Amino acid sequence: RLGQPAGPPGRGRPPAEPDEDARREQGEAPTRSASSPDSGGEGALSFADSLAMMVSEKKVVHTEREKLVSQWLEYESKLLDRGLELFKQRCRVAAQMQKCATTISFEQLSREIEGFPKRSLRGSTYYVGEWGEGMSAERWFYSSRSVQATFPEGVPILFAEVLQVMLAKFLERVKTLGFTTCTHEVGTWKIHVSWPRPEDEDEEKEGSPGPRSGPVGRRRGDLGSGGDCPSGFGVAC
């Protein structure tokens, strides 16, 4: 039995699209896929757009880290203020003992500062065990390093490293108190300070411009006639 006669060519299904090679031979432009990154079609993302998205995502991450840094710096500032008050108290004790200099260990001072990070001994090394209320290693890390640095999750922070960073800031605060000398003993946590002796202050007052009863140009220790000290010094030779 014969089937139905074939219809005219082209009816029943659309003609096949010529392939890319045929289009090139005919001088036609090759077709583009709608999903191609360079097609510019709706929903497509170019390489440049992906780079812009990466920049945007990083900005969000850095902004969050900068907030953590601000939180730590605010907390650290309070710790340094408390430490400075303890430092001044120890200087007062030294002055009451008629001393004009003292040496104070920042490490020992940190043990008395309320809220200061707590040390934890592991083997023979001290690490930070507690950071204080609401604080974390991550906050300190981005503050002491950079918001662009990668925080090592689970890696303990050396307590000495925390002390070292804060010691430099603490020393700058101590220098604002007007001491005659203020130095850090290299290789230690100690800060040495000194202040004027009472006789030094008297000499400064006597050295101020004004009438003098003694000969001009004489200094302390020069003997006048009869072996007496020159007038105006107020102390025995």
Side-chain angles (χ1 to χ4, degrees):
R1 184 179 179 184
L2 298 178
Q4 297 292 332
R11 297 185 63 180
R13 62 177 182 178
E17 291 288 341
D19 58 15
E20 296 296 335
D21 293 336
R23 285 180 176 275
R24 292 192 183 93
E25 292 176 357
Q26 297 174 8
E28 298 180 10
T31 59
R32 289 186 176 183
S33 172
S35 60
S36 172
D38 298 327
S39 65
E42 186 177 356
L45 184 65
S46 69
F47 179 69
D49 290 337
S50 67
L51 294 179
M53 182 175 294
M54 290 175 62
V55 172
S56 178
E57 291 173 350
K58 281 296 182 181
K59 283 186 176 180
V60 173
V61 172
H62 288 174
T63 300
E64 292 300 321
R65 291 178 179 179
E66 287 170 356
K67 291 180 181 179
L68 298 179
V69 171
S70 298
Q71 292 171 3
W72 170 258
L73 291 178
E74 182 179 356
Y75 185 78
E76 181 186 58
S77 180
K78 294 178 181 179
L79 297 180
L80 294 175
D81 287 342
R82 294 168 186 170
L84 195 63
E85 288 303 315
L86 293 173
F87 190 93
K88 290 160 67 175
Q89 290 178 15
R90 297 200 177 186
C91 290
R92 292 188 188 101
V93 171
Q96 290 173 356
M97 298 173 64
Q98 301 182 24
K99 296 181 179 180
C100 293
T102 188
T103 300
I104 300 173
S105 169
F106 180 67
E107 185 273 330
Q108 294 181 358
L109 207 65
S110 69
R111 299 171 184 263
E112 303 177 28
I113 299 176
E114 181 183 356
F116 201 90
K118 304 296 182 183
R119 69 204 73 200
S120 175
L121 182 62
R122 301 183 188 179
S124 58
T125 306
Y126 282 101
Y127 296 96
V128 178
E130 299 178 13
W131 287 94
E133 185 176 358
M135 293 296 105
S136 65
E138 190 176 9
R139 288 174 170 81
W140 176 86
F141 179 85
Y142 291 128
S143 171
S144 60
R145 299 287 197 280
S146 167
V147 295
Q148 297 180 349
T150 301
F151 175 66
E153 288 284 353
V155 178
I157 304 296
L158 289 171
F159 186 78
E161 191 174 359
V162 176
L163 275 181
Q164 188 66 43
V165 173
M166 296 185 68
L167 173 61
K169 298 179 180 181
F170 184 75
L171 184 62
E172 292 302 316
R173 296 195 179 211
V174 173
K175 289 180 178 179
T176 64
L177 299 179
F179 289 108
T180 304
T181 60
C182 176
T183 57
H184 166 232
E185 294 185 12
V186 179
T188 72
W189 305 114
K190 297 178 180 179
I191 297 175
H192 179 80
V193 294
S194 65
W195 48 92
R197 295 177 178 276
E199 55 265 30
D200 294 340
E201 295 179 354
D202 293 340
E203 289 179 4
E204 289 179 1
K205 292 179 181 179
E206 291 166 0
S208 59
R212 293 185 178 183
S213 57
V216 176
R218 287 190 175 184
R219 299 179 180 179
R220 181 179 178 181
D222 294 338
L223 295 179
S225 57
D228 295 333
C229 288
S231 59
F233 290 106
V235 293
C237 293

